[in-house]
DNA sequence: TACGCATGGCTTTTT
DNA sequence: GCCATGCGTA
């Protein structure tokens, strides 16, 4: 009766799906059918073991993944209703439970969830209260530190400072937390922390949920943080029917607290855990798997997996060295055209993956120029747009009139003549009188005159009256009507039109407001309360993101965004020191290993063809700089790199580049290095540096003046014996780009 | 209070 | 090279 669930599985997959109770750890390599195993396991529990859907808790890392998984499970259980089946992110699962069990927390059940922007403004206020200068200590860094502490379940009073910076954090953290509580708001991390604290503090509560959730399944286990790991253990106990699926090699979220060592911890905490390795890959050619493995095998502290495929076809991968990021983009475009023509690939078969968002620019410019259709995957979230945040803040203020962050956001949008000064005075008055924001506003409408500038009182009282009206309208439960009333009364649409620079911008922003309006319509249909809606809106930051992913387009994205996806042809661009690995990662402990995993994730997205590119020079932050190819390239065995003549490799470029500079490397060089064995000994042949002999007087990016040619910008400067050769692009098009010898030319630097 | 220009500083990103 | 923030001025 469960044949349909099991018939297409290999032995290891079947073992995972049908394993009995107790802790189970599935280490699933990329492309090994992990999601299929997870969904089938859930369906199997329901259909073959007789577990009721409401006894199952499944956790994913994104809302999108949760929605997809729910759908797949539904398809697998056919007509069975998934009544009470809990699937969601850790955060949404906790939010849901905490709403019901708010009595076990310092909050009331209509609590709010603050997103990162809200958090930053609270940090700002906390720092202001403590007389700390946000220029000396970045609020973002402090927020990160607090967030890390929370992920480690370190409470404000437990936070230990070890240096000056952490001393600042130690002061801000308690103040920040108190402000959150004052606004009845939790940040994302609090959802986890408060859940852990509640479960730990009350036997009754703990037993209630431990009994309810008999089976706990966790996806992307390598990306759990400490708090999440504790939650897994708390919900899983005492039966410990915990099914954890993950891959240490794909842990790429350390910067937000993910700790792949939780995999090892799980093995230690549950010594009787069954460990199942999924090593058969259903995605890539053997060469691609070998390349991936060569890269990742340099990492330590991992469970070694041996990925294999039964695919017989394979091609070597291609490594291409471009002159600069522009040429790199052109090469990518050329390859796409070539592969489409020669091998019948479609635009949608291609992905271009890079380390940093900024790298998309050169690619986009080239693609636009050549009319090559593309789409950027994972663009700025809908919910991050200003107009969306504004309107949500209005709703949130209605939902919780003590929410100071939302109040501050909307009080002067549109402009009401209420600036920073008035707000600070108002808050000071509230704190002095020890009354809530709502109370204060009410007193204003009754004619109470707090110590504020006289001209601020009227608009403030007007605002208070509007808010009162909205609050009573909210009682009717018609969210859409409330939304329309608010927009009309504050004149928000008019404001959008007036504050936009172009009619197009106004249109886009209004469209966004209408898209948000549609979500309220849905909420009404589902009879959601305003409070429920607010929680959903904060947690589901991707839900309303109606990106048109239709059509034949190549996909551009960061490596992080690429996780979980696959494409027939994958380009990884900018495989250079400083980019991959990223220079910022060098400061992090084990940063290099994380970068290596990132590269690994990128490589394993490819099904048939993998093309790695790097550039000799790259425009970073305006000025162009000389790049060195990534050391990761030297980990790839040379025999996997070549390409048969006439398939992919184009050699014309190299000659062209060498004539443009003294730099005489070429495309074959990497392979030559590797063949010579210099790679294994770790020797890297450095590019000639421009400043090798002595420093140049001029540097790229400098603005200069020449008596005959006028003003210009330095593109490049290099030492030539005793002389210095400066390449300058002159503002006057007549002169264009010129190479000047300092021995003759008079060139002065302009400030 | 609001707008305009200058300065600085810069990953990755989901909840 | 761009964007966000901050300060100075109307």
């Amino acid at each position: 009766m469960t044949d349909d669930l099991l018939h297409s599985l290999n032995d290891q997959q079947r073992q995972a799906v049908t394993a009995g109770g107790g802790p189970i750890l599935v280490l699933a390599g990329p492309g090994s059918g992990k999601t299929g195993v997870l969904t089938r396991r859930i369906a199997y529990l329901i259909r073959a073991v007789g577990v009721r859907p409401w006894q199952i808790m499944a956790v994913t890392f994104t809302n999108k993944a949760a929605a997809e998984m729910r759908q797949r499970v539904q398809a697998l259980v056919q007509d069975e209703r998934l009544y009470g089946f809990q699937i969601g992110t850790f955060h949404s699962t906790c939010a849901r439970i905490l709403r019901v069990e708010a009595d076990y927390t310092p909050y009331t059940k209509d609590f709010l969830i603050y997103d990162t922007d809200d958090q930053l403004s609270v940090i700002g206020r906390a720092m202001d209260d403590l007389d700390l200068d946000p220029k000396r200590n970045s609020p973002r860094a402090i927020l990160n530190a607090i967030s890390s502490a929370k992920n480690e379940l370190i409470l404000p009073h437990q936070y230990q400072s070890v240096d000056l910076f952490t001393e600042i954090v130690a002061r801000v953290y308690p103040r920040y937390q108190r402000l959150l509580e004052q606004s009845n708001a939790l940040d994302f991390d609090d959802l986890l922390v408060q859940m852990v604290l509640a479960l730990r503090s009350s036997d009754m509560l703990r037993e209630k949920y431990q009994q309810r959730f008999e089976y706990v399944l966790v996806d992307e286990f390598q990306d759990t943080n400490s708090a999440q790991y504790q939650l897994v253990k708390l919900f899983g106990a005492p039966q410990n029917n915990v099914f954890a699926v993950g891959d240490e090699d794909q842990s790429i979220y350390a910067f937000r607290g993910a700790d792949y060592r939780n995999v090892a911890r799980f093995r230690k905490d549950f010594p009787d855990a069954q460990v199942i390795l999924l090593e058969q890959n259903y995605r890539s050619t053997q060469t691609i798997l070998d390349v991936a493995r060569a890269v990742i095998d340099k990492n330590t502290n991992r469970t070694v997996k041996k990925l294999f495929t039964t695919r017989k076809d394979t091609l070597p991968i291609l490594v291409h060295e471009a002159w600069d990021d522009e040429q790199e983009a052109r090469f990518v475009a050329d390859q796409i055209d070539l592969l489409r023509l020669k091998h019948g690939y479609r635009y949608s078969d291609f992905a271009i993956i890079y380390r940093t968002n900024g790298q998309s620019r050169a690619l986009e410019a080239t693609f636009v120029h050549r009319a090559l259709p593309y789409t950027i995957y994972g663009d700025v979230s809908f919910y991050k747009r200003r107009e969306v945040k504004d309107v949500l803040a209005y709703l949130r203020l209605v939902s919780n009139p003590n929410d100071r962050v939302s109040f501050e956001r909307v009080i002067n949008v549109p402009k009401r003549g209420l600036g920073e000064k008035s707000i600070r005075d108002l808050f000071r008055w509230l704190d002095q009188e020890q009354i809530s924001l709502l109370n204060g506003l009410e007193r204003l409408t009754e004619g109470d005159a707090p110590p504020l500038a006289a001209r601020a009182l009227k608009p403030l009282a007007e605002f208070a009256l509007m808010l009162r009206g909205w609050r009573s309208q909210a009682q009717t439960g018609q969210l859409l009507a409330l939304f329309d009333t608010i927009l009309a009364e504050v004149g928000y649409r008019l404001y959008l039109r007036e504050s936009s620079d172009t009619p197009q911008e106004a249109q886009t922003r209004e469209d966004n407001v209408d898209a948000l309006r549609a979500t309220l319509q849905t909420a009404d249909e589902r009879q959601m309360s305003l409070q429920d809606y607010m929680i959903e809106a904060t947690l589901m930051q991707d839900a309303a993101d109606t990106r048109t992913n239709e059509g034949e387009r190549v996909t551009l994205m960061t490596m992080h965004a690429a996780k979980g996806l696959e494409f027939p042809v994958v380009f990884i661009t900018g495989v250079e020191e400083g980019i991959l690995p990223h220079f910022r990662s060098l400061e992090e402990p084990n940063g290099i290993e994380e970068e290596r995993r990132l590269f690994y994730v990128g490589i394993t997205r490819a099904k048939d063809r993998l093309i790695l590119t790097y550039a000799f020079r790259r425009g970073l932050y305006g000025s162009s700089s000389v790049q060195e190819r990534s050391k990761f390239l030297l980990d790839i065995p040379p025999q996997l790199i070549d390409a048969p003549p006439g398939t992919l490799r184009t050699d014309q470029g190299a000659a062209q580049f060498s004539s443009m500079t003294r730099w005489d490397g070429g495309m074959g060089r990497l392979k030559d290095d590797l063949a010579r064995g210099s790679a294994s000994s770790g020797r890297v042949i450095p590019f000639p540096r421009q400043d090798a002999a002595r420093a140049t007087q001029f540097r790229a990016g400098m603005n200069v003046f020449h008596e005959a040619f006028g003003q210009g910008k330095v593109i490049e400067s290099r030492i030539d014996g005793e002389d210095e050769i400066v390449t300058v692009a002159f503002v006057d098009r007549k002169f264009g780009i010129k190479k000047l010898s300092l021995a003759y030319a008079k060139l002065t630097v302009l400030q």
Side-chain angles (χ1 to χ4, degrees):
Chain A
M1 105 183 210
T2 53
D3 283 356
D4 62 302
L5 290 179
L6 307 176
H7 81 271
S8 59
L9 303 178
N10 66 37
D11 288 350
Q12 287 72 33
Q13 291 174 328
R14 186 174 302 117
Q15 197 190 337
V17 169
T18 61
I24 297 158
L25 182 63
V26 179
L27 298 172
S32 63
K34 158 189 86 119
T35 312
V37 164
L38 207 46
T39 51
R40 283 181 164 82
R41 164 111 184 142
I42 295 168
Y44 183 86
L45 288 173
I46 294 170
R47 283 174 53 192
V49 187
V51 179
R52 306 308 307 146
W54 52 268
Q55 294 179 300
I56 300 173
M57 173 194 277
V59 195
T60 60
F61 266 77
T62 64
N63 292 301
K64 201 171 141 212
E68 277 168 19
M69 208 171 283
R70 175 181 284 278
Q71 247 171 19
R72 287 178 69 167
V73 172
Q74 182 66 68
L76 291 170
V77 297
Q78 293 144 3
D79 297 332
E80 186 132 11
R81 281 199 59 215
L82 291 176
Y83 182 75
F85 169 47
Q86 171 60 43
I87 182 161
T89 61
F90 276 104
H91 293 87
S92 68
T93 302
C94 291
R96 200 172 188 164
I97 297 175
L98 289 172
R99 270 293 295 264
V100 180
E101 311 289 356
D103 289 350
Y104 293 93
T105 73
Y107 303 88
T108 63
K109 69 173 173 36
D110 52 353
F111 64 77
L112 295 168
I113 300 169
Y114 275 3
D115 68 15
T116 312
D117 284 349
D118 302 329
Q119 290 178 276
L120 278 173
S121 82
V122 177
I123 294 279
R125 205 136 42 84
M127 290 179 73
D128 198 43
D129 290 349
L130 297 165
D131 272 327
L132 292 167
D133 184 357
K135 265 180 296 186
R136 293 173 70 100
N137 298 284
S138 130
R140 188 166 283 279
I142 294 174
L143 179 57
N144 282 341
I146 292 176
S147 178
S148 307
K150 288 185 175 182
N151 287 333
E152 296 290 324
L153 294 166
I154 298 165
L155 302 178
H157 67 275
Q158 296 166 327
Y159 189 88
Q160 298 284 331
S161 63
V162 292
D163 54 22
L164 192 62
F165 173 71
T166 50
E167 179 53 34
I168 305 277
V169 177
R171 285 190 217 173
V172 177
Y173 186 7
R175 178 77 200 153
Y176 166 81
Q177 199 59 32
R178 206 163 31 246
L179 288 170
L180 282 180
E181 284 178 28
Q182 230 174 55
S183 290
N184 196 30
L186 287 84
D187 62 23
F188 287 123
D189 304 314
D190 284 334
L191 291 167
L192 310 175
V193 174
Q194 291 301 329
M195 191 73 252
V196 170
L197 293 181
L199 290 172
R200 278 186 183 164
S201 67
S202 163
D203 295 343
M204 212 165 71
L205 185 75
R206 191 173 58 249
E207 280 159 23
K208 175 176 167 186
Y209 284 95
Q210 288 180 343
Q211 268 165 33
R212 156 141 186 221
F213 295 119
E214 203 166 330
Y215 287 86
V216 176
L217 300 95
V218 189
D219 193 14
E220 305 280 12
F221 188 70
Q222 77 284 351
D223 285 332
T224 49
N225 60 36
S226 293
Q228 290 165 330
Y229 182 60
Q230 288 308 314
L231 285 171
V232 170
K233 293 218 299 184
L234 281 163
F235 282 119
Q239 314 91 316
N240 297 325
N241 292 329
V242 177
F243 188 85
V245 183
D247 180 3
E248 290 145 303
D249 296 335
Q250 293 187 70
S251 174
I252 54 174
Y253 286 108
F255 67 90
R256 59 178 208 228
D259 187 351
Y260 70 92
R261 288 172 305 179
N262 282 338
V263 172
R265 224 162 267 151
F266 186 92
R267 289 177 131 169
K268 206 167 124 244
D269 291 349
F270 302 107
D272 57 330
Q274 291 187 62
V275 179
I276 299 166
L277 263 62
L278 302 184
E279 294 176 306
Q280 181 164 359
N281 176 290
Y282 296 92
R283 179 184 295 155
S284 311
T285 64
Q286 191 61 51
T287 303
I288 290 167
L289 296 180
D290 289 346
V291 169
R293 181 163 180 205
V295 167
I296 202 67
D297 271 355
K298 295 266 166 158
N299 274 2
T300 51
N301 287 321
R302 51 186 281 271
T303 313
V304 174
K305 287 183 295 301
K306 210 173 152 182
L307 296 181
F308 69 97
T309 176
T310 54
R311 265 180 86 157
K312 289 285 173 275
D313 63 317
T314 201
L315 286 165
I317 67 159
L318 181 73
V319 177
H320 176 82
E321 179 173 79
W323 161 244
D324 61 6
D325 43 356
E326 206 179 299
Q327 299 268 359
E328 180 183 52
R330 223 180 286 174
F331 171 79
V332 171
D334 285 343
Q335 290 301 318
I336 290 172
D337 285 341
L338 189 76
L339 288 167
R340 282 177 58 236
L341 241 60
K342 276 190 91 166
H343 299 280
Y345 285 106
R346 301 143 59 96
Y347 283 126
S348 56
D349 290 332
F350 298 92
I352 301 146
I353 304 177
Y354 37 78
R355 176 67 177 84
T356 66
N357 282 307
Q359 289 171 253
S360 73
R361 201 193 298 168
L363 293 161
E364 286 188 80
T366 301
F367 291 179
V368 167
H369 183 66
R370 297 178 48 156
L372 198 157
Y374 70 91
T375 179
I376 295 190
Y377 185 86
D379 249 341
V380 185
S381 159
F382 173 78
Y383 284 99
K384 284 215 174 85
R385 311 229 156 95
R386 200 177 63 211
E387 56 278 10
V388 174
K389 298 210 69 161
D390 284 346
V391 179
L392 279 175
Y394 271 108
L395 288 170
R396 226 159 57 159
L397 189 61
V398 175
S399 165
N400 179 349
N402 290 321
D403 175 14
R404 290 189 177 190
V405 169
S406 295
F407 175 80
E408 269 186 282
R409 179 165 192 106
V410 301
I411 189 59
N412 210 25
V413 176
K415 301 253 179 299
R416 300 188 180 91
L418 292 164
E420 207 183 320
K421 174 94 172 31
S422 314
I423 304 311
R424 205 167 335 164
D425 288 348
L426 174 72
F427 285 168
R428 189 168 308 139
W429 175 62
L430 295 177
D431 292 342
Q432 257 163 27
E433 301 279 308
Q434 301 254 353
I435 54 173
S436 68
L437 177 59
L438 178 62
N439 267 319
L441 290 175
E442 285 300 319
R443 276 171 63 171
L444 264 161
T445 62
E446 286 150 19
D448 237 17
L452 265 79
R455 65 174 166 163
L457 286 175
K458 194 162 157 261
L460 209 49
E462 278 169 9
F463 185 85
L465 272 175
M466 281 198 292
L467 180 61
R468 188 196 285 171
W470 301 332
R471 292 197 358 109
S472 68
Q473 186 175 1
Q475 303 297 317
T476 66
Q478 294 300 309
L479 302 185
L480 189 62
L482 174 68
F483 180 89
D484 288 336
T485 306
I486 295 175
L487 256 62
E489 286 188 7
V490 304
Y492 195 78
R493 287 177 194 271
L494 184 70
Y495 157 76
L496 273 191
R497 268 171 254 149
E498 282 174 352
S499 65
S500 297
D501 294 331
T502 65
Q504 292 92 314
E505 189 194 331
Q507 187 60 51
T508 321
R509 296 175 69 189
E510 215 170 335
D511 287 349
N512 287 333
V513 170
D514 284 327
L516 188 67
R517 190 174 181 274
T519 67
L520 280 139
Q521 205 156 8
T522 318
D524 274 344
E525 280 157 20
R526 289 166 54 192
Q527 308 209 322
M528 287 170 81
S529 71
L530 182 57
Q531 279 78 16
D532 283 336
Y533 174 81
M534 290 323 310
I535 286 187
E536 193 116 315
T538 317
L539 289 176
M540 308 277 270
Q541 301 254 319
D542 51 357
D545 198 356
T546 50
R547 207 178 309 106
T548 47
N549 236 352
E550 312 297 313
E552 278 299 311
R553 294 158 176 282
V554 303
T555 306
L556 273 60
M557 66 196 140
T558 63
M559 278 177 201
H560 286 91
K563 188 166 167 195
L565 307 178
E566 59 177 32
F567 295 87
V569 184
V570 167
F571 294 86
I572 300 179
T573 65
V575 189
E576 292 149 34
E577 285 296 299
I579 293 186
L580 184 69
H582 196 274
F583 70 96
R584 292 288 298 255
S585 73
L586 304 176
E587 295 156 23
E588 314 277 326
N590 303 318
I592 280 281
E593 304 211 324
E594 175 111 341
E595 296 291 306
R596 204 185 284 281
R597 289 192 290 271
L598 215 34
F599 191 30
Y600 176 77
V601 166
I603 291 168
T604 53
R605 299 309 97 198
K607 290 161 96 163
D608 308 335
R609 290 168 192 268
L610 177 66
I611 299 150
L612 310 178
T613 66
Y614 59 99
F616 171 56
R617 335 194 39 150
R618 182 172 297 274
L620 293 165
Y621 313 129
S623 66
S624 158
S625 61
V626 174
Q627 300 291 108
E628 203 175 299
R629 65 174 178 238
S630 172
K631 292 192 182 66
F632 293 160
L633 288 173
L634 299 177
D635 298 331
I636 304 172
Q639 65 272 20
L640 302 177
I641 292 184
D642 209 348
T647 50
L648 279 174
R649 187 163 160 173
T650 55
D651 281 285
Q652 296 91 314
Q656 191 192 340
F657 303 153
S658 51
S659 66
M660 287 168 75
T661 60
R662 297 180 308 153
W663 164 66
D664 59 1
M667 293 227 318
R669 196 192 53 220
L670 174 67
K671 190 166 174 278
D672 295 343
D673 288 0
L674 294 161
R676 256 187 262 117
S678 55
S680 54
S681 67
R683 191 171 71 92
V684 178
I685 299 175
F687 287 115
R689 292 258 177 200
Q690 289 164 317
D691 55 1
R694 60 184 166 86
T696 53
Q697 230 175 301
F698 292 87
R699 274 190 308 278
M702 281 181 168
N703 289 311
V704 292
F705 184 80
H706 185 274
E707 292 206 283
F709 305 134
Q711 208 178 317
K713 193 166 216 157
V714 175
I715 295 175
E716 181 187 26
S717 192
R718 61 185 168 83
I719 298 297
D720 184 21
E722 292 295 298
D723 199 358
E724 181 173 339
I725 308 293
V726 191
T727 311
V728 184
F730 287 99
V731 174
D732 192 332
R733 291 281 166 90
K734 270 203 310 268
F735 304 115
I737 296 172
K738 293 211 176 298
K739 280 194 182 180
L740 304 169
S741 161
L742 277 200
Y744 306 102
K746 272 214 187 83
L747 210 55
T748 50
V749 179
L750 294 174
Q751 276 320 311

